[in-house]
Amino acid sequence: TILSFFFPCLLTAGMMVACTDDVTPSVEQPAAYLAIEAKMEEGGVNRAAIDSTGFQEGDRIGIFVRDAEGNPYLSDQNCSNLLATFDGNQWVMDTRIALQADKKAMVYAYAPYDEQVMTNGDSIAIDLSRQLDILHGNAGDVTPEHPTANIGFRHALARISVSVLRDAEDVGEGRLTRVRVQNGGESDCV
């Protein structure tokens, strides 16, 4: 009687102690998404057709995300000519790219954004007659542990301004017969 009551209680308590869950519940890591940080690299900024030295709110850039072999980073999602817009504090991408743990991403970018740019990202046509500069840059080894692509933009075009003044004592016609542009090496234009 007491034994018949005590024994089932003891058996139940023993099972509760013996059946502790040694398995730690898996905590699923949240996906890491590609983030963009962009700046204009120093040097040559004042010589470029784009005179600004930083990005302004509303500026838009095009992004290409590739794997180490140069293929689109994700096979099931568009990774070419993605739009990112600067909101004054950060770059906001219209398409979120989830980074994979076993795969490094290479990020290529250009500005200003053009929705007509070919999707392969190998080249961007520049219409020299319009005198519009293109900025370009890239960042490598983007991973879920380091999801921010720090892109340093460089100018594709450069502007050279030349002022030619005639000496007050020069009585010639003021006609140039030769111009030399020199920067490390020599280049002559006639």
Side-chain angles (χ1 to χ4, degrees):
T1 58
I2 275 195
L3 195 54
S4 64
F5 175 75
F6 182 67
F7 184 69
C9 289
L10 186 60
L11 184 61
T12 304
M15 286 176 42
M16 290 174 65
V17 171
C19 293
T20 59
D21 190 8
D22 291 329
V23 178
T24 306
S26 64
V27 176
E28 192 167 320
Q29 295 290 345
Y33 291 96
L34 173 65
I36 302 295
E37 284 291 329
K39 65 177 181 175
M40 292 187 199
E41 290 187 349
E42 292 183 28
V45 171
N46 293 331
R47 293 191 310 257
I50 295 177
D51 289 327
S52 64
T53 58
F55 291 100
Q56 304 297 316
E57 184 175 345
D59 284 349
R60 303 178 338 150
I61 61 177
I63 304 288
F64 293 84
V65 187
R66 299 291 182 248
D67 64 16
E69 287 78 38
N71 301 313
Y73 183 72
L74 300 171
S75 60
D76 61 342
Q77 187 176 348
N78 178 26
C79 293
S80 297
N81 203 27
L82 306 174
L83 173 62
T85 306
F86 191 59
D87 71 2
N89 294 316
Q90 64 183 357
W91 290 96
V92 179
M93 294 183 62
D94 281 5
T95 303
R96 295 179 68 188
I97 300 293
L99 299 170
Q100 300 176 0
D102 59 342
K103 198 176 199 181
K104 290 182 180 179
M106 302 293 291
V107 179
Y108 301 90
Y110 73 96
Y113 177 78
D114 181 355
E115 61 189 22
Q116 303 300 318
V117 166
M118 298 296 291
T119 58
N120 64 10
D122 292 338
S123 63
I124 297 172
I126 299 174
D127 183 358
L128 294 177
S129 67
R130 294 176 54 206
Q131 291 296 298
L132 293 177
D133 193 6
I134 298 287
L135 297 171
H136 62 94
N138 64 329
D141 296 338
V142 180
T143 63
E145 295 78 27
H146 303 284
T148 302
N150 292 303
I151 303 170
F153 279 92
R154 295 172 300 285
H155 294 277
L157 299 180
R159 176 178 62 208
I160 299 174
S161 299
V162 178
S163 295
V164 179
L165 302 174
R166 192 167 112 184
D167 189 285
E169 295 181 19
D170 186 353
V171 292
E173 297 177 18
R175 211 181 319 170
L176 294 175
T177 57
R178 186 177 186 108
V179 174
R180 174 175 285 174
V181 178
Q182 185 174 344
N183 183 13
E186 289 188 19
S187 176
D188 289 330
C189 301
V190 180

